[in-house]
Amino acid sequence: MKLTYFGHSCFLLEAKGKKILIDPFISPNELAKDIDVSSIDCDYLFISHGHEDHVADVETVLKNNDCQVVSNFEIISWLQEKGHENVHPMNHGGKVDLDFGSVKYVNAIHSSVLPDGTYGGNPGGFVIQSGGVTLYYAGDTALTMDMKLIGEYQKPDVAILPIGDNFTMGIEDAIICSDFIKCDEVIGMHYDTFPPITIDHEEAKAKFNKAGKRLTLMEIGADKAF
Ligand code: NI
Ligand code: MN
């Protein structure tokens, strides 16, 4: 798998030659001003929940790509009403096999309303398996005991966790989460974009190190293979 970071909670995952874009929020993000959202190609678009900072560029991505959208039932219904038919609705606990591997929509403790006020269903995260590698993308979430199920049964190799605090888990809870999910390789998201979620990078990495884990904070535009 290869991962490219586009800022905030937006990543492009490449697995078995397929490109999966997750939670596009690029054009409104000052930190991602060097990324051109209209140049992104993808085969799939995954959406974790309905908040603006996860769906802002959905329409642009769908205008430029005939990608399949994977999200919860309510967000998919919202897109179908706008005329997007290449969709795959899911709900919590459900797993589906796609051409690059499988994806399971898992619990997140958060809220979810779309920018126009439409109900966005309950928020979620994704457990993605491809080519023997398991990746957990937590979405926006608090620490929750449900994460222990992922540690028990999915055992991710890599986890993308929110670490910015205030709206989601902060560093301390993300470290506890990484214990719950039995994964020591963590990539941070949902930090620095807005003043309430600004973090000290070195301090955050040091706290993970002290717990025997590694926190990677990717540069926007950079990629990482695993
Ligand atoms: Ni959110
Ligand atoms: Mn968010």
Side-chain angles (χ1 to χ4, degrees):
M1 285 190 192
K2 187 177 126 189
L3 205 58
T4 306
Y5 187 43
F6 293 137
H8 198 52
S9 296
C10 181
F11 292 84
L12 183 73
L13 174 69
E14 291 184 57
K16 287 207 176 157
K18 299 293 173 182
K19 294 180 173 179
I20 303 142
L21 184 68
I22 313 177
D23 284 8
F25 173 76
I26 296 166
S27 59
N29 184 359
E30 182 59 24
L31 299 179
K33 62 181 186 310
D34 295 337
I35 308 295
D36 175 13
V37 65
S38 60
S39 72
I40 297 173
D41 294 329
C42 59
D43 302 291
Y44 293 93
L45 173 60
F46 285 14
I47 305 171
S48 68
H49 68 293
H51 288 156
E52 171 76 12
D53 60 319
H54 300 261
V55 304
D57 290 316
V58 162
E59 304 254 12
T60 306
V61 170
L62 293 180
K63 205 165 61 191
N64 297 324
N65 292 279
D66 182 29
C67 55
Q68 183 170 73
V69 188
V70 177
S71 188
N72 69 25
F73 183 82
E74 290 79 6
I75 291 173
I76 293 299
S77 301
W78 176 71
L79 288 171
Q80 282 176 313
E81 276 170 26
K82 291 174 181 289
H84 299 294
E85 287 307 326
N86 190 359
V87 291
H88 186 94
M90 300 188 75
N91 217 323
H92 297 85
K95 183 175 130 188
V96 62
D97 290 321
L98 298 171
D99 55 4
F100 62 86
S102 69
V103 57
K104 184 170 188 174
Y105 192 62
V106 296
N107 292 355
I109 301 289
H110 192 67
S111 59
S112 177
V113 65
L114 288 149
D116 62 6
T118 304
Y119 173 58
N122 288 313
F126 299 102
V127 176
I128 300 163
Q129 293 179 305
S130 177
V133 177
T134 301
L135 172 85
Y136 171 42
Y137 177 93
D140 280 11
T141 184
L143 179 66
T144 157
M145 294 294 276
D146 291 335
M147 290 162 174
K148 288 197 170 189
L149 289 172
I150 294 170
E152 209 55 46
Y153 298 104
Q154 268 93 38
K155 298 182 175 61
D157 299 289
V158 183
I160 303 177
L161 304 180
I163 56 170
D165 225 328
N166 195 80
F167 300 114
T168 66
M169 294 190 285
I171 307 295
E172 283 77 14
D173 282 355
I175 290 170
I176 298 168
C177 167
S178 70
D179 282 336
F180 283 6
I181 61 174
K182 298 180 183 160
C183 175
D184 293 336
E185 196 65 52
V186 174
I187 294 168
M189 66 172 170
H190 216 274
Y191 62 93
D192 285 358
T193 319
F194 318 110
I197 62 171
T198 302
I199 64 159
D200 180 325
H201 292 204
E202 292 316 309
E203 189 186 319
K205 288 187 219 170
K207 284 181 177 169
F208 271 82
N209 278 345
K210 206 173 157 204
K213 299 164 190 295
R214 178 159 62 184
L215 173 68
T216 300
L217 300 177
M218 293 176 69
E219 293 288 328
I220 295 173
D223 51 46
K224 181 180 165 69
F226 52 88

